[in-house]
Amino acid sequence: QQGPYSARKRLLDFGCGGGYFLAHAVSAGWSAMGFDVGEAALETCRAHQLVATGRFSDLEPASFDVVILNHVFEHIEDPAGLLRSSRPLLGPQGKLFIEVPNVRSARARLSLPILSRRCNFDERHRAFPIHLWYFSPTTITRLLRSAGFEPVLVTTTGMGLEELRRRETLEERELAVNSPAHRAADGRRPKSPLQPAKDLIKRMFYGWGLGENVLVAARPRSGRG
């Protein structure tokens, strides 16, 4: 939807971790490369024959059609500096895609400290000091523009409301998933006649900026150094 891209479909997964998304991109036909500062992440990628580096100097200018930062941007000490460094990596008509937790999501608004303490609501979106920055659709748009990018898509995604309460333990989840009732129902549930209405509500929810995550696509603005 956000193309066109070059015939090579060149992609950089910035903050690639163990390479899950990178492997998916390769299987989908992309010429994909990962970047990560974690040595364990790089070793895992290379063990799975995925191209990954921890040196920014290995990333050649104008060598990517897409740069992805999937739940990485909120961990970066200098996000504006990273944006400025990323611009030269994109080729003609290249796009930058960023997904971050939405500090103005419905879940974030409901996860007030007092509710978290008294009602056991989950405040994982804050995650300080792992998350150094908190973004909303408005603030990330402003940051992108100040760094020489023009957003072409700004939306939210993920309802998040089903996760307001703390997740069950791994043992509880495995018991639920492996129960005979769950296995019998899995894949056999008929499509609800209310599904179109549910889809409409979800689109409205995301459009109002209440989704759990902010998703943006942006292109380098011409005339900026």
Side-chain angles (χ1 to χ4, degrees):
Q1 264 185 316
Q2 292 297 326
Y5 304 118
S6 72
R8 289 181 57 196
K9 295 175 63 178
R10 305 162 302 175
L11 179 146
L12 173 65
D13 184 11
F14 194 98
C16 59
Y20 176 81
F21 180 83
L22 198 58
H24 179 74
V26 171
S27 68
W30 287 82
S31 174
M33 181 178 184
F35 176 90
D36 206 286
V37 297
E39 192 58 40
L42 296 174
E43 290 176 1
T44 301
C45 288
R46 291 163 183 162
H48 290 87
Q49 290 75 53
L50 298 169
V51 179
T53 184
R55 297 182 302 182
F56 204 89
S57 59
D58 290 340
L59 308 177
E60 297 182 6
S63 57
F64 299 102
D65 301 300
V66 170
V67 174
I68 301 278
L69 290 99
N70 184 25
H71 287 271
V72 172
F73 202 55
E74 66 271 27
H75 302 277
I76 301 298
E77 185 175 345
D78 181 12
L82 176 59
L83 289 177
R84 290 191 291 269
S85 299
S86 299
R87 287 186 67 245
L89 302 179
L90 288 163
Q93 300 183 326
K95 297 288 194 311
L96 174 72
F97 290 83
I98 300 176
E99 184 170 319
V100 291
N102 179 14
V103 75
R104 300 301 294 162
S105 68
R107 170 174 158 179
R109 293 168 190 256
L110 292 171
S111 295
L112 301 175
I114 189 170
L115 292 178
S116 298
R117 289 194 299 270
R118 296 191 177 185
C119 304
N120 208 29
F121 282 178
D122 190 342
E123 296 182 82
R124 280 196 319 281
H125 70 283
R126 293 190 177 95
F128 181 82
I130 298 172
H131 292 176
L132 302 178
W133 301 94
Y134 305 102
F135 296 101
S136 69
T138 299
T139 58
I140 199 166
T141 296
R142 186 182 304 136
L143 180 61
L144 283 162
R145 285 178 173 152
S146 71
F149 283 89
E150 186 59 37
V152 295
L153 170 70
V154 182
T155 187
T156 63
T157 183
M159 299 294 283
L161 299 180
E162 71 280 2
E163 297 181 355
L164 276 171
R165 296 190 61 83
R166 301 191 192 280
R167 290 182 177 177
E168 69 271 29
T169 65
L170 180 61
E171 292 79 7
E172 291 170 337
R173 191 180 305 118
E174 288 179 345
L175 284 172
V177 170
N178 293 321
S179 68
H182 186 279
R183 289 199 302 269
D186 187 34
R188 298 184 179 88
R189 296 185 180 91
K191 188 172 182 180
S192 168
L194 297 177
Q195 193 59 49
K198 292 179 179 179
D199 292 341
L200 176 60
I201 291 171
K202 185 178 290 188
R203 288 195 298 272
M204 293 171 63
F205 185 85
Y206 293 161
W208 290 333
L210 297 175
E212 185 175 7
N213 302 304
V214 181
L215 175 63
V216 295
R219 58 176 176 78
R221 195 163 58 237
S222 60
R224 289 290 299 264

